[in-house]
Each structure stands twice: as structure tokens, then as C-alpha cells.
Amino acid sequence: MCVLAVFAFPWIKYDLQYLRTALKLIRYIQRRTAKRDFAVDSLERQVRERPKQTFIIYQDNNYTYEFVDQKANQIARAALKLGLKPKDVAAIMMTNEPAFIWTYFGLQKIGVSVSLINYHLRHKALAHSITSCKPKILIVGQDDELTDAVHAIWDDVKHMQVVVHGPAASRLNVDSLSQIAGRESTDSVDQSYREDIAATDAASFIFTSGTTGLPKPAIITHRRTVLATAIFSSFDFNEHDILYETLPLYHSAGLVIGVFSVVHAGAVIVLRNKFSASNFWNDCRKHNVTVVHYIGEMCRYLVQKPVVPDEARHNIRVAVGNGLRKGIWESFTRRFRIPRVVEFYSATESVIGFANIFDKVGKVGRSSPLTRILAPAILVQFDHVTESAKRDADGRCIEIAKDSVGLLIAPVNERRTFEGYFDRPAENEKKLLYDVFKPGDVYFNTGDLFYLDNEYFVSFQDRTGDTYRWKGENVSTHEVSNVLSAIDFLYDANVYGVAVPGCEGKAGMVAIRLKDNTSIDSKNLQQISAHCAEQLPAYARPRFLRFQREVNLTSTFKHQKVRLVNDGFDPSSIDDPLYYFDSVSNQYKALTRSVYTDIVNGKITV
């Protein structure tokens, strides 16, 4: 019977492997949650079992599990002296460094939730992010750029305690958390401080792009942190592994998936301040790295680098991450001899995710009738005009057939809860669909489109709505539009993302209508560039400008983006004046056909 089933349904062999792995991971999550084995508990367990083993390697310095735990104990006591108590919120604005990790764990030791601030943000977006979760304290890294950014919004944050890591910052005139903690005991902190912390309580808040243009804080419960580490468990990540981590720790990928997986396994993490294509392979060889954590854009940068001797000489057994396109995947694994890729899909606030445990090129996982028993990832038809799930005559959503593209949704129930965003009931509602297949059911809308092939493998296609992804970051079209709207000579700014050959995600493009009696000249272009540089992080600054004579609106007076997205940035098919951002001169320059060709061929980087 089994042979006949495999013959009749050749894809069933994948399902059986997927279900075995899924059941293993479900038991893993249930066991850790029942034991209240959260991230900070894992750290303390490793200190008991392997105190002198290296935990973090950073800038050629080694930090043992015992040392990191002792520093965390000092942070915990310092936080108590500063008035923090269980279930309070502390905001951290720090770059990738060991102090980030022991500060986070120190706060967790006394049951404090941590709001993780994207240190690239500036001005209004930064002030909004810091204050969103009502923190009692803001902890700022010692980098001058960070203290300068906080100084620029001082009126917005001066009502809360602000401290810095490292020497006291004269610019901010605040105390040094490092100095306060340095006077405290390194002895273990009594676990009674966190005895009332449950799996459903917030461990941290991680910010995602907001439809209003400002980041919104997703609630990351302790249970969700356990769930996230299951990805590494799928390829038996263990105490003998060494992870290379360059992703920012203010994101769920870097901290929740990367650091927490290392702590749970008792492994080693090689931490870098930021990704460097030039140092990547040297670092991996130098530190005997066995697992690398990527986003697709990193792999593209590596593939584009000139071939150098020994680049494929390493001990890497797995590359794990998300956003790796098929073409780059094949080049990356072949050129650098990567034995296995574990590509996954997840979103910070999502109730569903995929993991490609089969090393199938270009795929993120499976969604078949069998796998949906344990992981109900449903793909439904999507209407690109209304930008919503299609409904039939009875008002129900319509599942797609194989060899089709659909919107990913998943049921919300007692087993699969949607924690949502902190203090954002309206934003939470926007992520839910009601009466999807029957009256009263509720589904989470990921807002992402996937292709389902004939073997039930799925691959990421696109992001819907008012967000696109560039340089590994989510960009809110509303945020960029709101910033541009402050420029006095712009009548309208319609922001969207366009595909650039050879690049992951989509580059920002703006369709602009100038006010009457205003022309396109170097002064205005320079003002647009300077304003964006001041108000937006680098990844959110528009790479292309399109100056229109009329604003394209839908029948409901919303911006028409579908045609603009399809037009792209090809000057041969667009009559409107086009400009591109020249990263060398930091100016917008005319986008000619020859420039377009150079961009497409990779000679000019956008």
C-alpha cells in the first residue's frame, strides 16, 4: 500500500519526512514551554554545564558563558537599583556587540520586557519607536552616532530615564549603565524575580513597518522565542556548532533565531557589528564556523565579489536564512561549496511559517493536504486591484490550485494565537480575516504571496500592500511618502517598490508631481536627496524618481501603484523624466538608457 501511495502521489514521500520533522519540533516546543525553559533559563543552564566554554567571539575577543552570565547579573542588579521591576519595559538602542547580549539577558533575569530599537532610525520614527512601548528606561550604546540621534529627539525622551553603555555621555549628560553595573555583584540573581513570568508574557517588542508610516511593535512572547529556535533544531544545531551572525540584533532573525538558538544548544556565536563581504570567508575560516545565518541580499553580495583563492575552503555545513532567490542560491552553493541550505519563511508577528528541510532550490517549504494537518498554511486567491483576498458569491475565500500564486493565510485559534502589536488594536484588526471558509472563523493575513508548484512546494513571490523589502529591511511606503510630503515644492509623492535585476527585494521608487510653476532642476533634486538623507535610514531612501504630470488614482481616490510597479524604471517604456540615486556622488542623476543598461548589468549599484 505504501509503495502504491508513493507511486500514485510521488510528493507524499516529502510529506512524510516533513510530518516527522514537524512532530519532533512540536514535542520540542511543548517540552521547553512546559518546563519554562526560556532564553535566560537556557543561559543559566549552560553556565552550570559548560561555564568556561566560549559563548561569544567578537573582534577576536572570547567571552565565556560564565562571563556573559556574570555581566548579565550585574546588569540585573543595576536595573533594580534604577527602579525597574518585573514586567516593566526597557528600551535598548545598541549596535551588535557583546554588551547588547548581556544587557538583554540581565533585564530578562528580573522579568523585564525589552523593546528593541532599530538604531538606523532618526527623528520622528526614532522618537515614536522609543516611546511606543512606554519604557521606564532607555539604554543607548556608546557609539557617538547613537547618542547624537537621541540628543536630536531629547524633548521626546527626557521624561524617562536614559543611560548609556560605556563612559558617561557628555552630550546627553546621563549616567553610565556600565559604571553602575560594574559596582554590583556578579553572583547569580534570585530567580524569584521572574517566577510569575509566563510563556504568554512579552519577552520583547520588535518593530515592523507600520501602514501609517511609523514602525509598530510586535509582541514577542516567551513561547514565541522558543518556537523560533525550532528552525535551528531542524538541522540538529548543537554544542559543537559555531554560528556566524552578522544580522542586526534588534531584528527577530539576529536575536531570537540566532542568539537564542546558540544559547539553547550551548554553541558558539561569532558576532560581527555588521556584514562585510570582504571579511566573510576569512572570518569563517579563522573561527571554524559551521553554520552561517543569511538574508538573501548577503549571498548576492558574496556572489558578486571577484573570485579569490581559498574562498570555498571552510567548515560550513549549513547556511540558514531567508530571502535567497533561486539564481543566487545555485551560484552561492556551487561556487562556495555549501553542502546544505535551510531556507525558511517567517514574519515577526506571523502565526505561520515555512522551513525548507529538503534543500530544494528556490523553495521555502511545503503546503500540501497532509502537511496542513499540523501546519495549516493556506493559499487563497488574491485580487491585485482591491489588494485583498478574493471572495466567492457566498463571501468565502477561494483556495488556489497547484501551479498558482496565492495569498498566505493561517487560522487563529487557541493553539495558534496572534499576539499582535502592543497597544495597537486597529493595526491588529487589519491583520485578521473573518468568515474565511465558514461563519465565525478567523485567519491571520500574512500579506505575502507564494507560488504553489505541482509537488506542493512553495516559493516566495511578493509582498502585498504598502510595504516592500530592500537591503534586508521592510520599508513602509507611507513612512517615505510622509517624509517627502514635507518638501514644500512637492504636490504629491506616490512611493512603491520596483524589481532590480540581480537584487533581492525591491528598490524604492517615487512617482512625484511637482507643484505648479516648479521645475526639475539640480537645486530641487539636491533638496530631495538631502531631506531623505536626514529623515530616512539609508535602506528607505528612494533609489528612483519619476516625475509625473498627473497623479494616477483609483476610482476610490487611492494611489494607482500596479501600473507604476509594472512599468519599473526602464526609460525606453516611460515617457516621464526619470532619475536614479548615484551612491558615489550622493545625488539624483538623469536615468538614461545607457545608465539603465548598466544598472541591469550590475555595473552601477543602486
Side-chain angles (χ1 to χ4, degrees):
M1 287 295 292
C2 292
V3 173
L4 287 174
V6 172
F7 181 77
F9 307 102
W11 45 265
I12 205 168
K13 60 184 178 182
Y14 297 116
D15 279 358
L16 294 175
Q17 181 182 349
Y18 194 92
L19 291 172
R20 280 197 302 271
T21 303
L23 284 169
K24 174 185 173 184
L25 296 182
I26 288 171
R27 288 194 293 269
Y28 160 86
I29 293 164
Q30 290 174 337
R31 183 175 65 252
R32 285 194 60 192
T33 303
K35 291 167 55 181
R36 294 181 73 256
D37 183 15
F38 306 144
V40 69
D41 301 293
S42 294
L43 173 64
E44 293 178 349
R45 172 168 48 83
Q46 301 304 346
V47 173
R48 293 191 296 272
E49 295 177 1
R50 46 178 64 83
K52 302 301 181 183
Q53 179 184 304
T54 295
F55 171 18
I56 305 168
I57 300 175
Y58 179 77
Q59 295 181 350
D60 293 333
N61 294 312
N62 289 22
Y63 302 86
T64 65
Y65 275 96
E66 181 180 59
F67 179 83
V68 172
D69 185 64
Q70 289 175 343
K71 299 293 282 186
N73 290 333
Q74 290 182 307
I75 292 290
R77 290 188 169 89
L80 289 169
K81 280 196 171 179
L82 290 169
L84 293 181
K85 58 184 185 300
K87 299 193 179 181
D88 279 345
V89 178
I92 291 181
M93 182 183 174
M94 299 175 67
T95 58
N96 282 19
E97 56 181 300
F100 185 115
I101 295 174
W102 63 61
T103 299
Y104 181 92
F105 281 123
L107 294 168
Q108 293 279 284
K109 280 174 177 283
I110 59 171
V112 171
S113 301
V114 184
S115 178
L116 304 175
I117 307 301
N118 180 341
Y119 56 79
H120 293 294
L121 299 176
R122 295 294 182 268
H123 302 290
K124 183 179 179 180
L126 177 59
H128 169 83
S129 296
I130 291 173
T131 58
S132 281
C133 298
K134 302 177 175 60
K136 295 289 182 65
I137 192 170
L138 168 63
I139 302 169
V140 186
Q142 59 184 321
D143 191 299
D144 287 343
E145 287 189 13
L146 303 190
T147 54
D148 287 348
V150 173
H151 183 267
I153 59 164
W154 187 248
D155 286 345
D156 296 294
V157 300
K158 64 184 180 183
H159 64 279
M160 67 179 74
Q161 287 192 82
V162 180
V163 294
V164 294
H165 255 296
S170 57
R171 183 81 188 269
L172 295 179
N173 192 28
V174 297
D175 291 331
S176 165
L177 177 62
S178 304
Q179 292 175 1
I180 297 171
R183 296 190 287 267
E184 297 298 323
S185 169
T186 61
D187 292 346
S188 298
V189 174
D190 195 324
Q191 292 188 3
S192 64
Y193 285 108
R194 60 181 192 270
E195 64 183 358
D196 293 330
I197 301 299
T200 53
D201 285 326
S204 53
F205 303 96
I206 295 179
F207 288 82
T208 66
S209 295
T211 57
T212 62
L214 294 171
K216 53 185 186 286
I219 300 170
I220 309 300
T221 63
H222 290 279
R223 181 183 182 279
R224 184 172 285 269
T225 65
V226 173
L227 181 64
T229 61
I231 295 168
F232 275 45
S233 296
S234 70
F235 57 87
D236 297 320
F237 187 76
N238 60 69
E239 70 273 17
H240 303 297
D241 278 308
I242 301 173
L243 173 70
Y244 188 61
E245 186 63 83
T246 66
L247 301 180
L249 299 183
Y250 60 74
H251 269 329
S252 52
L255 181 68
V256 181
I257 296 177
V259 174
F260 292 175
S261 295
V262 169
V263 172
H264 178 68
V268 179
I269 185 168
V270 179
L271 185 68
R272 271 195 72 97
N273 184 269
K274 60 182 178 180
F275 169 72
S276 167
S278 300
N279 292 300
F280 190 91
W281 300 113
N282 288 334
D283 283 348
C284 290
R285 280 190 295 273
K286 181 178 182 179
H287 300 296
N288 297 312
V289 168
T290 60
V291 178
V292 293
H293 192 185
Y294 69 81
I295 56 171
E297 189 74 359
M298 287 169 45
C299 301
R300 183 178 72 86
Y301 285 139
L302 293 170
V303 168
Q304 287 183 338
K305 295 287 289 184
V307 175
V308 296
D310 294 333
E311 64 181 15
R313 183 174 61 83
H314 51 70
N315 295 317
I316 296 168
R317 68 181 185 91
V318 176
V320 57
N322 62 289
L324 186 55
R325 292 190 302 110
K326 182 178 180 181
I328 301 297
W329 185 319
E330 293 171 329
S331 300
F332 178 69
T333 54
R334 182 174 59 251
R335 174 175 163 181
F336 301 116
R337 298 179 188 173
I338 304 298
R340 183 182 179 189
V341 172
V342 177
E343 169 83 1
F344 65 85
Y345 161 82
S346 183
T348 302
E349 69 275 41
S350 182
V351 303
I352 195 69
F354 291 117
N356 179 355
I357 62 173
F358 311 98
D359 205 14
K360 278 275 189 177
V361 176
K363 308 300 181 182
V364 297
R366 292 184 61 72
S367 179
S368 74
L370 269 180
T371 63
R372 290 175 205 151
I373 296 172
L374 291 180
I378 314 298
L379 294 168
V380 297
Q381 293 182 22
F382 181 74
D383 188 327
H384 287 273
V385 177
T386 62
E387 293 193 337
S388 61
K390 282 186 178 178
R391 303 264 182 167
D392 61 18
D394 296 323
R396 304 290 178 248
C397 291
I398 310 161
E399 287 195 51
I400 66 168
K402 291 186 291 185
D403 191 26
S404 302
V405 174
L407 174 69
L408 175 63
I409 63 174
V412 175
N413 47 44
E414 290 184 0
R415 285 188 55 239
R416 189 168 283 100
T417 59
F418 171 52
E419 286 84 16
Y421 311 106
F422 178 78
D423 198 25
R424 300 290 193 283
E427 294 282 1
N428 291 340
E429 277 299 306
K430 291 178 183 177
K431 298 298 295 184
L432 300 176
L433 299 175
Y434 295 93
D435 304 326
V436 174
F437 297 114
K438 61 183 180 182
D441 64 8
V442 182
Y443 277 70
F444 176 82
N445 178 6
T446 66
D448 290 330
L449 302 177
F450 290 82
Y451 169 71
L452 181 69
D453 71 13
N454 286 313
E455 289 187 312
Y456 291 108
F457 283 103
V458 293
S459 53
F460 180 80
Q461 287 292 111
D462 204 356
R463 177 157 287 163
T464 67
D466 298 313
T467 304
Y468 59 88
R469 195 163 180 83
W470 181 247
K471 303 297 183 183
E473 299 276 1
N474 291 335
V475 180
S476 164
T477 60
H478 284 292
E479 177 187 2
V480 180
S481 180
N482 289 340
V483 166
L484 288 168
S485 296
I487 300 175
D488 59 6
F489 57 82
L490 298 192
Y491 175 80
D492 189 75
N494 183 7
V495 181
Y496 51 99
V498 293
V500 178
C503 293
E504 300 295 333
K506 293 186 174 182
M509 188 163 183
V510 190
I512 293 172
R513 183 187 168 191
L514 298 170
K515 289 182 179 178
D516 293 341
N517 302 317
T518 305
S519 60
I520 308 168
D521 56 31
S522 59
K523 180 182 177 182
N524 287 340
L525 289 170
Q526 181 57 37
Q527 186 173 339
I528 294 173
S529 175
H531 184 72
C532 290
E534 181 184 356
Q535 298 292 330
L536 293 169
Y539 60 81
R541 296 167 198 164
R543 315 319 285 181
F544 302 104
L545 307 180
R546 175 176 179 171
F547 288 90
Q548 293 185 299
R549 295 165 185 82
E550 297 293 337
V551 179
N552 298 113
L553 299 176
T554 66
S555 58
T556 55
F557 301 100
K558 295 180 180 179
H559 279 128
Q560 172 58 263
K561 296 189 181 186
V562 175
R563 183 176 65 79
L564 293 171
V565 170
N566 291 336
D567 285 348
F569 61 100
D570 184 356
S572 64
S573 60
I574 299 172
D575 293 331
D576 300 323
L578 298 175
Y579 292 80
Y580 78 102
F581 183 73
D582 177 25
S583 57
V584 177
S585 63
N586 287 326
Q587 295 178 1
Y588 286 105
K589 294 184 176 180
L591 177 54
T592 63
R593 293 190 181 187
S594 62
V595 170
Y596 173 80
T597 301
D598 285 345
I599 291 173
V600 169
N601 293 332
K603 294 181 180 179
I604 294 178
T605 302
V606 295

